[in-house]
Amino acid sequence: MANILITGGSGYLGGTLLDQLKQIPLPPHGTIYALVRSEEQASRVRECYGAEPLQLNLSDQGSLTETLLAKKISVVFFLIDAIKADAQLLLIQALAEVGKQLSVQTHFLHTTGAKLFSSHAGHPTDRVLSDAEKDLYRIQKTSRSPFPPMQQALVTNSQIIEAAEARGVRSYIFIPCIVYGQGTGFGNYTSIQTVAVIQAARDLRRVYKVDSARAVWPVSHVHDTTALYIQILRKLLSNDDIPHNREGYYLASSGTVAWEDIYSSIAEAMAKRGFVDNASVVQADEEALAKMGTALECPAAFVPVQLGGTCTLAADRGKSIGWRPSHPADHILETAGDEVDVVLGYFGSK
Ligand SMILES: NC(=O)c1ccc[n+]([C@@H]2O[C@H](COP(=O)([O-])OP(=O)(O)OC[C@H]3O[C@@H](n4cnc5c(N)ncnc54)[C@H](OP(=O)(O)O)[C@@H]3O)[C@@H](O)[C@H]2O)c1
């Protein structure tokens, strides 16, 4: 029976995934290990998720291979770093040894982000782009982003697929989008993009839009997102041959929403709570972008990457393996007030 390693247990996605795994029945499997970096995290993963804590040096090939072999880990879900490929490539090499020495099929899932399939990464946005599109690997491989971290993350996705393919490991590129809803792990329970919109608005006391056109982006409730991770895991544990490597892109999304509508619903919720002075949304000029950059601790030029842009990627692959999101895309607009409360409760309202 396969033993599984899940990383990022103190994070938003990894924590919620481990919390959900505790509650949802899986096909027969061995031990679920959770990667930890401290004794405190070790006791929290045991107590909160019923998982077995595991400390690993993610930059040491020898000890990684030795540990994965000793623990007979054949499935790794990586939810730590979408940009660099260093640890992932070492884990893939370690899984290849597990596959060879134990004669088992091994699997590596990498968590990337929808930004890598968007206008920010030079992807086509004039049509719906399916995550099941045959050409997606080539589109990713030949795309160029003007933003160095995004370019690096594009290369990372291709490197992971190619390294896994060359070593007989099956890889899956998992694509979270705008994820919302309170996480249920013991650590971070807030997401990324909604946090950026709310934090910038809190500091500027106004919600600004950064795109001139009506830009759209896929959205997903955190529990729909973790449900897709779990559906992939179910299929792996059942030895089902699901699309992998160059065909293994899995977007978790229930549909797209316009950024403008997200901004408006957040502006309304923040105005009601007295965090912004006006419930209407205005176009950001250079001065506003500079201030938003200060609020988000990034250059002004990177602000539109944090909370804008167009992504027309659609989620078909997950549905083909039996995943069904249970929150419609508009749910993010209806629950904007809850999101504001969660984010400002976590990061503070001042
Ligand atoms: N949340 C979203 O909406 C979203 C959308 C698209 C893509 N993603 C991507 O998905 C991944 C997970 O996102 P998240 O929101 O769950 O992030 P998060 O809440 O910041 O969690 C990151 C997790 O990674 C762990 N970690 C970081 N560096 C590590 C290292 N060197 N060794 C071991 N563990 C390490 C952290 O552990 P510590 O607590 O010990 O630091 C934490 O558990 C990220 O790569 C993110 O870019 C997320």
Side-chain angles (χ1 to χ4, degrees), residues 121-151:
H123 269 227
T125 55
D126 54 347
R127 62 179 174 92
V128 173
L129 185 65
S130 169
D131 62 352
E133 179 158 324
K134 277 241 170 299
D135 221 17
L136 199 48
Y137 166 79
R138 188 197 58 76
I139 294 173
Q140 277 265 288
K141 177 98 178 160
T142 53
S143 284
R144 294 291 172 268
S145 173
F147 305 100
M150 307 262 310
Q151 182 57 37

Side-chain angles (χ1 to χ4, degrees), residues 74-147:
S74 57
V75 178
V76 176
F77 275 22
F78 192 83
L79 296 90
I80 291 182
D81 185 359
I83 297 175
K84 296 190 295 309
D86 307 352
Q88 295 92 312
L89 296 178
L90 300 185
L91 283 161
I92 288 168
Q93 179 59 39
L95 282 170
E97 276 308 309
V98 171
K100 217 184 323 168
Q101 295 198 26
L102 307 182
S103 302
V104 290
Q105 180 60 58
T106 54
H107 305 273
F108 182 81
L109 178 147
H110 168 67
T111 304
T112 179
K115 285 191 181 86
L116 283 318
F117 301 79
S118 74
S119 52
H120 302 307
H123 269 227
T125 55
D126 54 347
R127 62 179 174 92
V128 173
L129 185 65
S130 169
D131 62 352
E133 179 158 324
K134 277 241 170 299
D135 221 17
L136 199 48
Y137 166 79
R138 188 197 58 76
I139 294 173
Q140 277 265 288
K141 177 98 178 160
T142 53
S143 284
R144 294 291 172 268
S145 173
F147 305 100

Side-chain angles (χ1 to χ4, degrees), residues 8-14 35 37 41 58 79-82 111-113 176-177 179 188 191-193:
S10 53
Y12 176 62
L13 294 180
L35 181 73
R37 297 210 273 182
Q41 287 181 352
L58 288 181
L79 296 90
I80 291 182
D81 185 359
T111 304
T112 179
C177 49
V179 189
N188 178 21
S191 191
I192 296 178
Q193 277 123 322

